[in-house]
Amino acid sequence: MKIKTKSKKVNKAWLQDHMSDPYVRQAQREGYRARAAYKLKEIDESLGLIKPGQVVVDLGSAPGAWSQYLRRCFAPRVAGTGGAAVGELDGTIIALDLLPMEPIEGVLFIQGDFREESVAAQLDEAVGGRAVDLVVSDMAPNLSGIESSDAARIEHLIELAIEFCGRHLKPGGALVAKVFHGSGYSQLVERFKKTFRVVKAIKPKASRDKSAETFLVGIGLK
């Protein structure tokens, strides 16, 4: 019973922190499905990565907040609800996730595991030979708590995203990928530096202080 009570206290404390989070409240006001939208927004406003007319691939897209933000960037003059502007879309957004995602107007969604060749092939087919301007990845594996194992899983996902960029990204395109400080982080930074001309690590204000997550941005394939 003590363990159960402690668990309830932890859950209640998390819920209170969550509901008092200014980014959570802002997301609710502005119609975003998750506070994560503001992480991509801050990275974009810092580096100017997203422009109308682009082809963008959103990896690990569910529940859809990043795709919503991308859609707003591609339809900036049309007011709408639900976190994404409605109407004509000046750009292409292809989203992929292992989990289901509620539809977003104009966003092509593929449900499947990016680690599976058949799913990666579906994504390649959806791109259809077009040069991709930007790949954004909020993918993260289910963490086991075993640092070496978790680091290997994270590295594998990043490696797949980099390989996808090698096949589809424009020479001047960019990859934004979520990573975690800890075991394997320095190796991921080195992998980015081998692949991209410019590499930046950004910890957005919308990313919780307690979280070990940060975002690596690679710009311009070598």
Side-chain angles (χ1 to χ4, degrees):
M1 288 299 292
K2 287 183 180 179
I3 294 173
K4 191 172 184 181
T5 302
K6 184 177 179 182
S7 177
K8 284 183 177 179
K9 286 181 179 178
V10 170
N11 290 337
K12 186 176 181 181
W14 180 89
L15 185 61
Q16 287 175 338
D17 287 345
H18 180 74
M19 294 311 297
S20 63
D21 187 312
Y23 291 103
V24 171
R25 295 201 302 269
Q26 188 174 351
Q28 291 170 341
R29 286 196 305 270
E30 298 185 354
Y32 284 116
R33 296 175 183 177
R35 66 194 300 285
Y38 301 106
K39 301 173 188 178
L40 182 59
K41 184 175 187 287
E42 186 176 335
I43 293 168
D44 175 39
E45 289 177 347
S46 174
L47 300 174
L49 298 174
I50 303 168
K51 301 176 180 66
Q54 290 178 328
V55 176
V56 182
V57 174
D58 181 4
L59 301 174
S61 59
W66 279 20
S67 285
Q68 287 179 307
Y69 175 74
L70 289 164
R71 201 197 193 293
R72 284 192 177 186
C73 292
F74 291 167
R77 292 180 296 276
V78 185
T81 58
V86 296
E88 187 176 353
L89 184 66
D90 183 9
T92 300
I93 305 167
I94 303 167
L96 182 147
D97 202 288
L98 179 62
L99 299 173
M101 186 178 89
E102 288 294 318
I104 297 171
E105 183 186 357
V107 176
L108 172 62
F109 176 65
I110 299 168
Q111 184 176 351
D113 190 334
F114 187 53
R115 296 169 295 184
E116 295 180 3
E117 288 186 14
S118 60
V119 175
Q122 287 183 60
L123 185 56
D124 289 346
E125 185 178 349
V127 172
R130 291 171 292 183
V132 174
D133 296 276
L134 176 65
V135 177
V136 295
S137 173
D138 201 25
M139 291 189 297
N142 291 325
L143 301 178
S144 66
I146 303 171
E147 192 171 4
S148 59
S149 176
D150 290 339
R153 292 175 184 176
I154 293 165
E155 187 174 356
H156 180 54
L157 288 174
I158 297 297
E159 191 64 39
L160 290 174
I162 289 174
E163 288 176 4
F164 178 82
C165 289
R167 295 195 304 274
H168 295 290
L169 199 65
K170 284 184 177 179
L175 167 64
V176 177
K178 178 166 70 177
V179 297
F180 296 89
H181 279 284
S183 177
Y185 175 75
S186 59
Q187 289 91 326
L188 289 175
V189 173
E190 286 305 311
R191 183 68 177 88
F192 262 69
K193 288 181 177 178
K194 288 179 181 177
T195 307
F196 299 99
R197 295 194 302 271
V198 177
V199 176
K200 296 180 180 294
I202 298 178
K203 172 83 169 177
K205 293 176 183 175
S207 182
R208 289 189 172 97
D209 293 337
K210 298 175 185 177
S211 173
E213 75 174 9
T214 191
F215 293 86
L216 289 178
V217 182
I219 304 172
L221 291 170
K222 285 188 174 178

